[in-house]
Short mmCIF file of all heavy atoms in Angstrom, two decimals:
data_model
loop_
_atom_site.label_atom_id
_atom_site.label_comp_id
_atom_site.label_asym_id
_atom_site.label_seq_id
_atom_site.Cartn_x
_atom_site.Cartn_y
_atom_site.Cartn_z
N THR J 520 -45.24 7.73 3.67
CA THR J 520 -44.92 6.49 4.29
C THR J 520 -44.16 5.57 3.33
O THR J 520 -44.60 5.31 2.19
CB THR J 520 -46.17 5.70 4.80
OG1 THR J 520 -46.88 6.57 5.64
CG2 THR J 520 -45.74 4.44 5.53
N THR J 521 -42.93 5.12 3.73
CA THR J 521 -42.16 4.28 2.84
C THR J 521 -41.78 3.03 3.63
O THR J 521 -42.03 2.88 4.81
CB THR J 521 -40.84 4.98 2.46
OG1 THR J 521 -40.02 5.22 3.65
CG2 THR J 521 -41.20 6.35 1.81
N ASN J 522 -41.14 2.03 2.84
CA ASN J 522 -40.79 0.77 3.59
C ASN J 522 -39.37 0.37 3.19
O ASN J 522 -39.03 -0.92 3.26
CB ASN J 522 -41.78 -0.34 3.29
CG ASN J 522 -41.79 -0.79 1.81
OD1 ASN J 522 -41.11 -0.17 0.97
ND2 ASN J 522 -42.52 -1.82 1.46
N PHE J 523 -38.46 1.23 2.71
CA PHE J 523 -37.16 0.81 2.58
C PHE J 523 -36.43 0.79 3.93
O PHE J 523 -36.86 1.40 4.90
CB PHE J 523 -36.40 1.64 1.57
CG PHE J 523 -36.21 3.12 1.93
CD1 PHE J 523 -35.11 3.58 2.64
CD2 PHE J 523 -37.18 4.06 1.56
CE1 PHE J 523 -34.98 4.87 2.97
CE2 PHE J 523 -36.99 5.36 1.88
CZ PHE J 523 -35.97 5.84 2.56
N ARG J 524 -35.36 0.08 4.04
CA ARG J 524 -34.67 -0.16 5.27
C ARG J 524 -34.14 1.02 5.96
O ARG J 524 -33.45 1.78 5.25
CB ARG J 524 -33.59 -1.24 5.14
CG ARG J 524 -34.19 -2.63 4.62
CD ARG J 524 -34.83 -3.40 5.78
NE ARG J 524 -35.45 -4.61 5.34
CZ ARG J 524 -35.79 -5.62 6.17
NH1 ARG J 524 -35.55 -5.50 7.39
NH2 ARG J 524 -36.27 -6.65 5.68
N MET J 525 -34.41 1.30 7.25
CA MET J 525 -33.92 2.38 8.00
C MET J 525 -33.49 1.89 9.38
O MET J 525 -34.01 0.86 9.84
CB MET J 525 -35.00 3.48 8.15
CG MET J 525 -35.37 4.16 6.86
SD MET J 525 -34.22 5.45 6.42
CE MET J 525 -34.81 6.78 7.43
N PRO J 526 -32.56 2.59 9.97
CA PRO J 526 -32.16 2.15 11.37
C PRO J 526 -33.27 2.38 12.35
O PRO J 526 -34.15 3.24 12.16
CB PRO J 526 -31.03 3.12 11.68
CG PRO J 526 -30.59 3.74 10.40
CD PRO J 526 -31.72 3.73 9.50
N ASP J 527 -33.41 1.46 13.35
CA ASP J 527 -34.45 1.55 14.33
C ASP J 527 -33.88 2.54 15.42
O ASP J 527 -33.08 2.23 16.26
CB ASP J 527 -34.56 0.10 15.02
CG ASP J 527 -35.77 0.03 15.97
OD1 ASP J 527 -36.44 1.09 16.08
OD2 ASP J 527 -36.02 -0.96 16.59
N ILE J 528 -34.37 3.69 15.28
CA ILE J 528 -33.86 4.87 16.07
C ILE J 528 -35.00 5.40 16.97
O ILE J 528 -36.10 5.68 16.46
CB ILE J 528 -33.28 5.97 15.23
CG1 ILE J 528 -32.07 5.49 14.41
CG2 ILE J 528 -32.87 7.22 16.07
CD1 ILE J 528 -30.88 5.05 15.26
N LEU J 529 -34.73 5.65 18.21
CA LEU J 529 -35.61 6.33 19.14
C LEU J 529 -35.02 7.71 19.48
O LEU J 529 -33.91 7.78 20.00
CB LEU J 529 -35.85 5.55 20.43
CG LEU J 529 -36.71 6.23 21.50
CD1 LEU J 529 -38.02 6.53 21.07
CD2 LEU J 529 -36.59 5.40 22.75
N SER J 530 -35.68 8.75 19.10
CA SER J 530 -35.26 10.08 19.40
C SER J 530 -36.04 10.71 20.53
O SER J 530 -37.21 10.62 20.45
CB SER J 530 -35.35 10.96 18.18
OG SER J 530 -34.52 10.49 17.11
N ILE J 531 -35.32 11.26 21.49
CA ILE J 531 -35.98 12.07 22.54
C ILE J 531 -35.49 13.48 22.55
O ILE J 531 -34.29 13.77 22.13
CB ILE J 531 -35.74 11.35 23.92
CG1 ILE J 531 -34.32 11.30 24.26
CG2 ILE J 531 -36.36 9.97 23.88
CD1 ILE J 531 -33.98 10.74 25.68
N ALA J 532 -36.29 14.38 22.99
CA ALA J 532 -35.98 15.83 22.96
C ALA J 532 -35.11 16.17 24.18
O ALA J 532 -35.53 16.74 25.11
CB ALA J 532 -37.21 16.63 22.97
N LEU J 533 -33.84 15.78 24.11
CA LEU J 533 -32.90 16.01 25.19
C LEU J 533 -31.51 16.15 24.54
O LEU J 533 -31.02 15.26 23.85
CB LEU J 533 -32.90 14.85 26.21
CG LEU J 533 -31.83 15.03 27.30
CD1 LEU J 533 -32.17 16.09 28.21
CD2 LEU J 533 -31.69 13.69 28.09
N GLY J 534 -30.98 17.41 24.67
CA GLY J 534 -29.62 17.64 24.14
C GLY J 534 -28.90 18.70 24.95
O GLY J 534 -29.48 19.28 25.93
N GLY J 535 -27.73 19.04 24.54
CA GLY J 535 -26.96 19.97 25.24
C GLY J 535 -27.53 21.36 25.32
O GLY J 535 -27.39 22.13 26.25
N GLY J 536 -28.40 21.69 24.25
CA GLY J 536 -29.04 23.07 24.23
C GLY J 536 -30.38 23.00 24.76
O GLY J 536 -31.10 24.11 24.71
N THR J 537 -30.99 21.92 25.36
CA THR J 537 -32.26 21.86 25.80
C THR J 537 -32.47 22.86 27.01
O THR J 537 -31.67 22.88 27.95
CB THR J 537 -32.63 20.46 26.28
OG1 THR J 537 -32.53 19.56 25.20
CG2 THR J 537 -34.05 20.41 26.91
N ILE J 538 -33.47 23.66 26.97
CA ILE J 538 -33.80 24.63 27.90
C ILE J 538 -34.46 23.94 29.12
O ILE J 538 -35.41 23.33 28.96
CB ILE J 538 -34.66 25.76 27.38
CG1 ILE J 538 -33.95 26.41 26.23
CG2 ILE J 538 -35.02 26.78 28.49
CD1 ILE J 538 -34.81 27.47 25.36
N ILE J 539 -33.85 24.06 30.25
CA ILE J 539 -34.27 23.18 31.43
C ILE J 539 -35.66 23.51 31.84
O ILE J 539 -36.42 22.64 32.37
CB ILE J 539 -33.29 23.20 32.59
CG1 ILE J 539 -33.25 24.66 33.25
CG2 ILE J 539 -31.89 22.82 32.22
CD1 ILE J 539 -32.54 24.65 34.55
N ASP J 540 -36.11 24.77 31.68
CA ASP J 540 -37.44 25.11 32.15
C ASP J 540 -38.61 24.50 31.33
O ASP J 540 -39.75 24.42 31.74
CB ASP J 540 -37.64 26.73 31.98
CG ASP J 540 -36.79 27.41 32.97
OD1 ASP J 540 -36.31 26.83 34.00
OD2 ASP J 540 -36.40 28.64 32.85
N THR J 541 -38.18 23.92 30.14
CA THR J 541 -39.23 23.18 29.33
C THR J 541 -38.99 21.71 29.43
O THR J 541 -39.83 21.00 28.83
CB THR J 541 -39.04 23.62 27.81
OG1 THR J 541 -37.73 23.11 27.35
CG2 THR J 541 -39.11 25.23 27.66
N LEU J 542 -38.05 21.24 30.18
CA LEU J 542 -37.83 19.77 30.32
C LEU J 542 -38.80 19.18 31.30
O LEU J 542 -38.88 19.67 32.38
CB LEU J 542 -36.36 19.60 30.75
CG LEU J 542 -35.89 18.06 30.70
CD1 LEU J 542 -35.86 17.60 29.22
CD2 LEU J 542 -34.47 18.00 31.28
#
Side-chain angles (χ1 to χ4, degrees):
T520 304
T521 67
N522 68 353
F523 63 91
R524 297 284 175 161
M525 292 279 279
D527 187 6
I528 298 295
L529 172 64
S530 294
I531 61 174
L533 175 68
T537 299
I538 301 170
I539 65 167
D540 292 338
T541 65
L542 190 65

